[in-house]
Amino acid sequence: MRHMILPLLLATATAAPLPAMAQAPADGAVPMVPAVGTLLDVTAEGRTTRVPDLATIRAGVVSTAPTAAAALRDNATAMARVMAALRKAGVAPRDLATATVQIAPQYRYADNQPPVVTGYQATNSVSVRFRDVGRSGAILDTLVAEGANQIDGPNLSVSEPDAALDEARTDAVRRAQARAALYAKAAGLRVTRIVSITEAGQDDGGSGPRPPMLMARAMAADAKTEIAPGEKEIRATLQVRFLLN
């Protein structure tokens, strides 16, 4: 009987399924080992700063006339002066792009009467990038002097934010580790390892929400517009999961 029982026991052990974590995946991926301990999720924001080196201005001309053709003609003439001034100021072709071209009827409204067309309004605007932020103020003055009566900007940003974003990500990981160590100590535990890191968001120092388009007015000849670039804060937000024991 003893010789018959041993093969039966061996057969039973072989037939039992292995734990899921011990089975090698078909695609060769590293199997996930269940975490044993306490899981702690921490959200941390890392920050760094950069001086903006890119300014974007949207400048345009708004013209009105009794007819659509006249409005377009007047607008084209004024816009040609604006474009010539920008090229003369040294704006590269790659940094100059048409943003809006539009013509719309203007109406007069009265009670109990259908609207009456009183004329047409033509709008043409261009987006201009400056890689020398310090020149933005002088360019704004030039644009207004040459007939631009619609100005948006300058919007200041960082042209190459990748290195700064990496600094912010590193700072976020450091902050998350410090916070996890604090929680672990308070709970009488210790941080064993990081289980996962997820990037929840980032701010690369862009211009943010666009301000409304403002109507420009002629300024005194001796008035100069000054642009102070200051610093842009670049942020990265991470969600980090820690294993505590």
Side-chain angles (χ1 to χ4, degrees), residues 86-117:
L86 289 170
R87 295 189 182 98
K88 185 177 180 180
V91 178
R94 64 173 178 158
D95 293 328
L96 184 61
T98 297
T100 304
V101 177
Q102 183 180 16
I103 185 166
Q106 304 297 292
Y107 295 97
R108 183 178 66 245
Y109 297 91
D111 292 339
N112 301 320
Q113 295 182 12
V116 177
V117 176

Side-chain angles (χ1 to χ4, degrees), residues 51-239:
V51 176
D53 59 353
L54 186 66
T56 304
I57 295 173
R58 192 154 56 105
V61 175
V62 178
S63 306
T64 57
T67 67
L72 280 175
R73 183 178 61 251
D74 294 346
N75 188 272
T77 301
M79 200 62 190
R81 292 196 302 269
V82 171
M83 297 291 282
L86 289 170
R87 295 189 182 98
K88 185 177 180 180
V91 178
R94 64 173 178 158
D95 293 328
L96 184 61
T98 297
T100 304
V101 177
Q102 183 180 16
I103 185 166
Q106 304 297 292
Y107 295 97
R108 183 178 66 245
Y109 297 91
D111 292 339
N112 301 320
Q113 295 182 12
V116 177
V117 176
T118 59
Y120 291 84
Q121 183 181 81
T123 304
N124 191 339
S125 64
V126 292
S127 176
V128 190
R129 292 187 302 182
F130 303 98
R131 300 175 193 278
D132 182 358
V133 175
R135 297 180 58 218
S136 301
I139 295 297
L140 280 171
D141 295 339
T142 300
L143 288 170
V144 174
E146 293 299 328
N149 56 9
Q150 207 172 37
I151 302 290
D152 170 14
N155 298 313
L156 306 180
S157 60
V158 177
S159 60
E160 296 182 0
D162 290 347
L165 279 171
D166 286 344
E167 288 181 17
R169 292 173 179 125
T170 301
D171 184 49
V173 171
R174 184 167 54 248
R175 291 172 183 266
Q177 289 173 323
R179 196 173 303 166
L182 176 68
Y183 285 132
K185 183 179 179 180
L189 302 170
R190 62 180 179 84
V191 177
T192 302
R193 63 183 175 88
I194 292 176
V195 176
S196 65
I197 300 177
T198 303
E199 186 164 287
Q202 57 179 243
D203 180 355
D204 61 3
S207 58
R210 297 186 66 88
M213 194 74 108
L214 301 178
M215 299 301 295
R217 289 179 170 82
M219 296 177 290
D222 59 349
K224 303 296 182 182
T225 302
E226 295 184 8
I227 303 299
E231 283 187 337
K232 284 284 187 181
E233 192 172 73
I234 296 172
R235 298 184 293 270
T237 302
L238 303 180
Q239 293 176 346

